[in-house]
């Protein structure tokens, strides 16, 4: 069971031509890497601490306290390690030891404690800090990369796309970053090739 199970994944991506589309990496930690650290992912989206706060609150509504400038620095460090680790796993390579250390460091810090709804007494903080959400992301990455050395973390099958995703399907047969993007383009190409090979009547 992933530390982030039940939390929404996916986000809007903008490519160099300005086209925006929805990309669901299947993992919050990989989604987070795509806020600016992954190669070819487009532009940086974490310009200020408020951008980090907005991204985190969209996935962790208990994070009500705003992120600080220190949180932003930490988030970018974790994000870089997550990006390199996901890319390495997608290519069947070992994760760099420095990146393992960074991910493990964040995973070792306090995360957001689970809680049941319906009680009459408050146990601990009712609001989570940004640093706790970063710990949850790191813990998911530990589970993800340890359990899936190569088989479910892969690059899009399109020759002109290097987006990395976690295949969470039961059949483990996801090929495309998105069926609406690369999957659809592949279908169109296959259709054209089939039609062009049919002799005229």
């Amino acid at each position: 069971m992933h530390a982030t199970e039940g939390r929404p994944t996916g986000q809007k991506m903008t490519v160099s031509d300005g086209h925006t589309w929805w990309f669901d990496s299947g993992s919050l930690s990989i989604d987070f890497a795509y806020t600016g650290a992954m190669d070819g992912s487009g532009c940086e989206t974490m310009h200020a601490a408020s951008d980090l706060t907005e991204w985190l609150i969209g996935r962790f509504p208990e994070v009500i306290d705003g992120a600080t400038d220190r949180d932003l620095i930490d988030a970018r460090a974790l994000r870089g390690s997550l990006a390199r680790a996901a890319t390495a796993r997608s290519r069947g390579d070992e994760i760099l030891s420095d990146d393992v250390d960074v991910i493990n460091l964040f995973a070792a810090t306090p995360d957001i404690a689970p809680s049941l709804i319906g009680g009459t007494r408050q146990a601990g903080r009712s609001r989570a800090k940004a640093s706790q959400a970063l710990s949850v992301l790191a813990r998911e990455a530990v589970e993800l990369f340890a359990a899936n050395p190569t088989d479910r973390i892969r690059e899009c099958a399109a020759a002109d796309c290097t987006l990395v995703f976690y295949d969470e399907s039961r059949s483990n047969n996801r090929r495309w970053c998105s069926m609406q993007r690369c999957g659809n383009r592949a279908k169109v190409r296959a259709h054209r090739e089939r039609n062009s090979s049919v002799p005229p009547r």
Side-chain angles (χ1 to χ4, degrees), residues 34-170:
Y34 274 106
T35 62
M38 296 289 279
D39 291 338
S41 67
C43 57
E44 171 67 63
T45 63
M46 299 279 174
H47 300 286
S50 58
D51 297 323
L52 173 60
T53 300
E54 183 179 354
W55 193 93
L56 291 176
I57 288 175
R59 285 109 185 131
F60 302 93
E62 47 291 55
V63 178
I64 301 174
D65 290 352
T68 65
D69 290 340
R70 177 73 246 179
D71 291 327
L72 180 61
I73 292 169
D74 289 346
R76 286 175 173 167
L78 174 61
R79 185 183 67 176
S81 290
L82 293 173
R84 289 184 292 273
T87 300
R89 279 291 188 251
S90 74
R91 296 174 181 171
D93 298 333
E94 290 295 317
I95 300 173
L96 295 174
S97 60
D98 285 350
D99 291 324
V100 170
D101 288 342
V102 169
I103 293 168
N104 285 343
L105 177 66
F106 278 92
T109 60
D111 68 350
I112 299 172
S115 61
L116 289 173
I117 298 172
T120 58
R121 298 180 183 176
Q122 178 180 316
R125 287 174 55 90
S126 60
R127 304 193 307 180
K129 295 181 178 180
S131 59
Q132 291 174 278
L134 295 179
S135 176
V136 174
L137 292 173
R139 289 181 186 207
E140 185 212 46
V142 169
E143 294 177 19
L144 198 67
F145 299 141
N148 302 279
T150 56
D151 63 336
R152 285 187 176 265
I153 300 171
R154 61 178 72 106
E155 284 187 3
C156 179
D160 58 347
C161 181
T162 59
L163 290 174
V164 174
F165 58 85
Y166 166 63
D167 183 358
E168 57 187 340
S169 68
R170 283 190 175 189

